[in-house]
Amino acid sequence: MNNVLSRRLLLTTTVALATPSVARAQAGIPHKPLRILVGYPSSGGSDSLVHVISGALQSRLTRSVTVDYKPGPSGVAAGEILKKSTPDGSVIAFIPSATMVGKLIKPGFPFDPLTDLLPLTLAGTYPTTFAVSPKIDVTTLAEYVAWLKAGDATRARFGTTTPDSFTQYFGTMLGREIGVPLEAVPYNGARPLIADLEEGRIPAGTGGITSFLVPQRGGRLKILMTSAAKRGAIAPKVPTATELGFPKLVQSNWYAFFAPPGMPAPLVEVWTAELRAVIQSREVSEQLQQLGLTVETSTPAEMAARLASDFKEWKATLDSLGVKPVN
């Protein structure tokens, strides 16, 4: 019996050691044009990040890699299309956590992030920011609050790049903390919101730092605070919610890559390995960091566990806000 067990253990070990190389040889990424779905319009944070990654990926894989924009409310179209895509490795999606939260809020949300998408790898994390128009001439949160209280209710509007998400709720929660209810105005992505902030058509807005950092450098808006627990190296002069006395506003968001459900495990392994290699490369990671992303990758299992854990935390936060989940 011991000899039988020994032979089985040897066989199992041999197969386990050989599987990665066999899988890579047999289940390589298709030799045809590849698509990365993005649920937001071009010229936003998602667009800037994915273009850095897709360009490097195209060079590494020696295949055409196209960013396929599917703009719609809160970016849900990318997940909806991915859910129905053929799992042959030719289509993946780049989706932020802000999109996923809609499953807990919106009736008829078109996909279940926990079952309808297959995680590949985390790409990185980023904080939400609260910014104001340069036209209102305030430079700190205290000045903004004073400006709010000195005018009528129309001042208490803020635009949000991702409605019905924690990007929006960051502004709602801030209003609660400062004692001035703030009214969210939905926008279809960052580009139109940034344009309205620049021209003073709306006084304030919420969005990921990956969407607002470059416009701030160009003087198109002024970031007053982030949802980070501590200041980041890329924006060292921007105060955090914690240091401004609002620890309840601390939150972290992420971007990740997903595949269609049913993609074979060897192909998932290959895609994950290629994406992680690109994201972790010095050139790409430095560019992503300049755009406000804290680079971090994961295995598919780690990303799945993170998503499940985040859903529990998101539900608890929504409950505290009085937002009743729909399912």
Side-chain angles (χ1 to χ4, degrees):
M1 179 63 73
N2 288 338
N3 288 336
V4 173
L5 289 174
S6 296
R7 285 196 297 272
R8 286 181 178 174
L9 179 60
L10 177 60
L11 178 60
T12 302
T13 303
T14 301
V15 171
L17 291 173
T19 296
S21 59
V22 172
R24 291 179 189 282
Q26 294 181 348
I29 293 172
H31 285 276
K32 65 183 195 179
L34 308 173
R35 290 189 298 146
I36 302 177
L37 302 173
V38 173
Y40 292 88
S42 60
S43 302
S46 298
D47 179 37
S48 301
L49 298 170
V50 77
H51 262 98
V52 171
I53 297 169
S54 65
L57 193 63
Q58 179 167 284
S59 297
R60 180 179 175 87
L61 298 177
T62 64
R63 295 163 178 75
S64 171
V65 178
T66 302
V67 178
D68 191 355
Y69 300 101
K70 302 295 181 183
S74 302
V76 299
E80 182 179 12
I81 293 170
L82 189 70
K83 170 186 174 180
K84 303 173 183 177
S85 297
T86 303
D88 64 354
S90 63
V91 181
I92 60 174
F94 185 62
I95 305 177
S97 55
T99 295
M100 306 298 195
V101 180
K103 176 61 180 174
L104 294 170
I105 304 164
K106 298 180 179 180
F109 194 79
F111 66 92
D112 188 336
L114 297 175
T115 60
D116 293 335
L117 307 181
L118 200 59
L120 294 173
T121 180
L122 184 69
T125 60
Y126 65 97
T128 304
T129 62
F130 190 87
V132 293
S133 167
K135 300 294 185 180
I136 69 172
D137 195 29
V138 302
T139 59
T140 67
L141 185 64
E143 290 178 359
Y144 170 70
V145 174
W147 177 84
L148 275 178
K149 294 180 177 179
D152 60 27
T154 61
R155 291 190 173 190
R157 296 177 301 122
F158 72 96
T160 179
T161 60
T162 311
D164 297 318
S165 74
F166 286 112
T167 306
Q168 173 181 323
Y169 298 138
F170 185 66
T172 304
M173 293 165 71
L174 175 61
R176 178 180 292 185
E177 292 292 310
I178 63 177
V180 181
L182 299 179
E183 177 188 358
V185 178
Y187 278 77
N188 187 20
R191 186 175 184 176
L193 173 54
I194 292 167
D196 278 4
L197 285 169
E198 182 178 19
E199 296 302 320
R201 290 187 285 266
I202 195 160
T206 55
I209 197 170
T210 52
S211 294
F212 283 178
L213 191 58
V214 172
Q216 168 163 276
R217 291 169 180 157
R220 304 180 67 190
L221 52 79
K222 171 67 177 178
I223 299 175
L224 298 185
M225 66 181 296
T226 77
S227 68
K230 60 181 180 179
R231 296 195 189 197
I234 198 63
K237 295 183 179 180
V238 180
T240 68
T242 299
E243 64 187 272
L244 290 175
F246 307 120
K248 294 180 181 179
L249 300 185
V250 173
Q251 61 175 240
S252 180
N253 315 287
W254 46 255
Y255 275 101
F257 283 95
F258 294 85
M263 181 180 281
L267 189 50
V268 169
E269 180 188 357
V270 174
W271 254 120
T272 300
E274 297 295 347
L275 286 167
R276 294 182 75 180
V278 164
I279 295 167
Q280 292 172 344
S281 67
R282 180 176 178 180
E283 180 179 359
V284 170
S285 63
E286 287 181 351
Q287 290 183 68
L288 296 176
Q289 288 165 8
Q290 285 297 314
L291 292 170
L293 192 72
T294 299
V295 174
E296 181 183 351
T297 64
S298 70
T299 65
E302 289 168 343
M303 188 61 229
R306 181 172 190 145
L307 185 57
S309 175
D310 282 351
F311 257 82
K312 294 178 181 179
E313 292 185 11
W314 295 339
K315 184 180 182 303
T317 302
L318 290 173
D319 288 344
S320 73
L321 288 170
V323 178
K324 187 177 181 180
V326 297
N327 50 26

